[in-house]
Amino acid sequence: MGGFIEPNIHPVLVHFTYALGTSAALAYVAGLLVPAGRWRDSLRPAADWMLALAALAVLATIAAGFQAYYSVAHDAPSHEAMTTHRNWAVPTGLALLALAGWRWLRRASSPGPVFAISALAVAGLLTVTAWWGGTIVYKYGLGVQTLPEASGPGHDHDHGGGAGHGDQGTVNSTDDHQDAHGAPPSDTMDGSSASGDGHDHDHTDGAADREMSGTVPAGHDNSDGHHDTKPVSTDEQAILDIMAAIETGWETG
């Protein structure tokens, strides 16, 4: 039984109040519009019974609502929305009880247009109250103990946080086109860069390596301002000249 009313039985009872109250109002209106005969004769007692059951349900609904108001955990924003829901629920419940009392006192006569319009007004109040009840649950999460995780097979629609789950396959398929060296296929289409097993050395002009040593071999253009030279010894210069000669031989074949 504890699991049935956890965290509160109010959401169960409120459906009876709303369904019976609005159905009774529609039945009263329909009883005025349909021609006299079997349909009208059956609509009036049906509406009376639904209104009486709605009056009983609203008593239990309001009682459970107050129990929820003082027991369900909430924060400041949800408390404000919950208070608004309560402020709509109490006068709506009283209006529904008054409508049922009115119909009980005039049960010997058929309900007229004024009563039908009053029933529609109460149905409107029930609708607004129900809307606020849904808002405090679906917008503020009042009474919700856990939130579901948006994942699982077939869960590929967008949650407003960017691309949906189904779009991940497109991104991953693009990543799969990169070769083992991390370069996309477009980099090798024109033959400007080499790739393949064991072919992992650099074919650039060696500027990065020379920048790390702080020197530039003879004949290298320094006009771009990207290289800062510093004095080197004779042995270092000889090594750099050999490296430049090897590089030039490699580039010219």
Side-chain angles (χ1 to χ4, degrees):
M1 186 65 179
F4 176 71
I5 64 173
E6 185 178 352
N8 188 270
I9 200 174
H10 176 72
V12 177
L13 298 174
V14 71
H15 289 85
F16 290 96
T17 302
Y18 183 74
L20 292 168
T22 54
S23 297
L26 294 176
Y28 283 125
V29 174
L32 295 176
L33 298 179
V34 299
R38 183 169 58 90
W39 282 101
R40 177 179 293 183
D41 294 339
S42 62
L43 278 173
R44 192 189 77 175
D48 289 343
W49 275 109
M50 287 188 288
L51 180 60
L53 293 175
L56 295 177
V58 77
L59 292 174
T61 301
I62 292 179
F66 272 103
Q67 193 273 334
Y69 183 84
Y70 291 106
S71 62
V72 175
H74 57 275
D75 55 8
S78 60
H79 176 78
E80 182 178 355
M82 183 171 56
T83 302
T84 303
H85 174 58
R86 182 203 63 185
N87 293 341
W88 276 95
V90 172
T92 298
L94 294 177
L96 180 59
L97 292 174
L99 186 71
W102 181 9
R103 182 65 194 131
W104 171 259
L105 296 176
R106 301 293 301 272
R107 62 187 180 276
S109 60
S110 299
V114 176
F115 184 86
I117 294 175
S118 300
L120 284 178
V122 172
L125 293 175
L126 287 171
T127 301
V128 176
T129 305
W131 184 88
W132 275 106
T135 298
I136 63 178
V137 174
Y138 290 103
K139 183 177 181 179
Y140 296 97
L142 197 68
V144 177
Q145 296 181 348
T146 59
L147 292 177
E149 181 180 358
S151 62
H155 200 91
D156 55 357
H157 54 265
D158 191 4
H159 286 270
H165 296 281
D167 297 335
Q168 293 178 355
T170 305
V171 178
N172 293 335
S173 62
T174 304
D175 296 339
D176 292 340
H177 283 87
Q178 295 185 353
D179 58 18
H181 297 278
S186 58
D187 293 341
T188 58
M189 291 295 290
D190 59 354
S192 60
S193 60
S195 62
D197 296 337
H199 201 90
D200 55 358
H201 51 267
D202 193 0
H203 287 276
T204 61
D205 61 358
D209 295 335
R210 291 190 294 273
E211 287 180 354
M212 293 178 63
S213 64
T215 61
V216 179
H220 188 81
D221 187 8
N222 294 330
S223 60
D224 56 0
H226 293 293
H227 304 285
D228 295 328
T229 61
K230 63 180 180 179
V232 297
S233 64
T234 303
D235 292 339
E236 291 176 341
Q237 185 62 53
I239 294 174
L240 293 176
D241 291 341
I242 294 174
M243 292 173 60
I246 295 175
E247 181 184 354
T248 301
W250 179 267
E251 292 177 352
T252 59

